[in-house]
Amino acid sequence: MRSSNAFYSYSYLLLWFIFIGVCAFLAPYFANDYRYMLVEGTNDVVASVSEIFISQYRHYFDWGGRTIAHLFAQFLLFIGKPYNAIFTALCYLALVLGIYYHAYGIKPTLKNLKLFPLFFITAFLWICMRNFGEVVFNIVSSCNYLVTVVIIMYFLLPYRLSFCRDKVDSGTLAVIGMFALGIIAGWSNENNSAAACAGTFLFCAYNYYHKKLTSWQLWGFIGLCVGFFILILAPGNEARLDSMEAKGFDYTSHLFVSLEIFFVSLATQILLIAAFILALYKIRSLYLQYAYPYQYYASLWLILIAFVSLAVMIASPNFPARSAAPFTMFAIPGVLGLMDILYVRGEALLSVRLQKGIIVLASLFVFASGVSTAVGYTQAYSDNKIRQYEIKSQLDAKQDEIIVSPFSLKANKYIYLADVQHNEKYWTNLILKRYYKVDSIVRTCDFEKSPFINDLLFFAKIGKPCS
């Protein structure tokens, strides 16, 4: 029976690996992908690994401190498809498994994986994660928000495992390894790293008070802080802010925009938040927090990290919707961990009939929207081949003002299309202008803007490119 369950679990993960890999392969490059194909500060295409390090050295002083994320991005763009698509699929599976390990407080293993938790994780990632297509399928965005979360998640796993033990041994290799990994994790992404710092600080303070703090826990936290300060103190961050202020950026007015994005982001997580509130209520009403304190507090710890990763963005001068994705990634194991407390005691979060109904509906939605996404990216791949032919023909004809046709589908939650627009001054147009070394590049026409945010658009809309 156990081997049968393992077969279904492995098969399920394999399906997701194939799906993510295929969509990542079909997804065209857009916007910042082209920027990071170039050596920073030049219009020359990256031709070697050494030029990637040169680019990130310059980037650190000119534009921002996310060196770790952009090293991944430039290297993946350098090796090209299908290799970066395979990496994306593997990274997504690492995320799913990382969430699984955090939820149950277990060491990384592929043995005895349970199908229902895997379904729960993948369904909530698919349904709740903001800008799924951008965060997962776009190379640069995925390196900023998928790869970095995976790094931080596995860095935090030893801390999560420590919740279940009164004392954890600490050797020299553990200290060195956690310190080094802490620097890498802290140097990855501002909101994720800040949340990780907050979580590990509370963990270390609690253990210090109870005289359980070990060397690797402390040095891991120190390494995390070192990496975080390297990230936020990058001269490029100040240069970038100066550039924004020169264009009229005002933080006071931006604060209201940030608050709006914050609450909209929470609204998109309503199913996950509802599951958390219901699980927390049932546990506390049955006083199970006293029976399983380690699992209970570890789950709340993960929820706290999720909330901090989102809330800290209110103070950021730039709050893109995609930055809400880590909230989902850290909240899922917290909720699943609370549900496990109920499961162990034979308690159900919902009635059996209601649970089955929700699973059926979720399965149908994931399947239907997944097929639609695959079809949409197939269309995008076809449209992009036409696009590349158009550009090549005009470049061969020595034209300096490139005109391209629009893709025949619109962006949604799962399909990321940061395409050039009819306005030649649009930021994406300016990047491609540099990449192709032309005077301008424009699209013949623009789509009519949707009144809905992409997170509420789940199915590919294919048809006439412009109204």
Side-chain angles (χ1 to χ4, degrees), residues 6 16 54 75 88 221 240 250 256 260 323 335 388:
W16 274 103
I54 292 171
F75 179 74
T88 298
F221 170 65
R240 188 176 186 181
D250 177 63
F256 294 100
E260 179 183 355
S323 62
V335 173
Q388 297 307 313

Side-chain angles (χ1 to χ4, degrees), residues 68-210:
I68 302 300
H70 293 142
L71 280 172
F72 273 99
Q74 287 205 288
F75 179 74
L76 291 174
L77 289 166
F78 175 67
I79 63 175
K81 298 176 186 289
Y83 306 108
N84 55 31
I86 294 172
F87 175 87
T88 298
L90 288 172
C91 192
Y92 190 77
L93 287 194
L95 172 67
V96 172
L97 292 172
I99 291 173
Y100 187 99
Y101 303 144
H102 270 277
Y104 293 102
I106 59 176
K107 293 181 179 179
T109 179
L110 293 177
K111 293 182 179 180
N112 304 322
L113 295 176
K114 300 174 184 177
L115 180 59
F116 175 75
L118 294 174
F119 172 80
F120 181 94
I121 293 166
T122 52
F124 269 99
L125 283 174
W126 183 257
I127 295 170
C128 291
M129 190 161 71
R130 293 210 69 179
N131 288 34
F132 187 101
E134 182 177 5
V135 170
V136 175
F137 300 129
N138 176 254
I139 293 295
V140 173
S141 290
S142 70
C143 288
N144 278 278
Y145 294 98
L146 173 61
V147 174
T148 57
V149 170
V150 169
I151 292 172
I152 290 173
M153 189 164 282
Y154 281 90
F155 166 77
L156 291 175
L157 187 57
Y159 292 93
R160 167 65 179 93
L161 297 177
S162 298
F163 273 89
C164 304
R165 303 178 185 178
D166 291 331
K167 188 73 173 177
V168 181
D169 294 333
S170 180
T172 303
L173 288 178
V175 171
I176 295 173
M178 288 301 291
F179 178 72
L181 185 56
I183 293 175
I184 294 172
W187 197 353
S188 57
N189 180 291
E190 293 84 357
N191 59 318
N192 303 333
S193 300
C197 285
T200 50
F201 171 77
L202 289 176
F203 179 94
C204 290
Y206 177 85
N207 276 10
Y208 176 78
Y209 179 79
H210 290 279

Side-chain angles (χ1 to χ4, degrees), residues 60 183 186-187 193 197 222-234 237:
Y60 187 80
I183 293 175
W187 197 353
S193 300
C197 285
I222 293 173
L224 187 67
C225 292
V226 169
F228 181 62
F229 283 117
I230 293 173
L231 170 69
I232 63 172
L233 296 179
N237 289 329

Side-chain angles (χ1 to χ4, degrees), residues 377-394:
Y377 274 117
T378 302
Q379 183 65 49
Y381 180 80
S382 176
D383 288 348
N384 190 49
K385 290 180 78 70
I386 296 173
R387 166 73 59 81
Q388 297 307 313
Y389 175 78
E390 289 180 331
I391 293 174
K392 184 178 183 303
S393 299
Q394 293 176 69

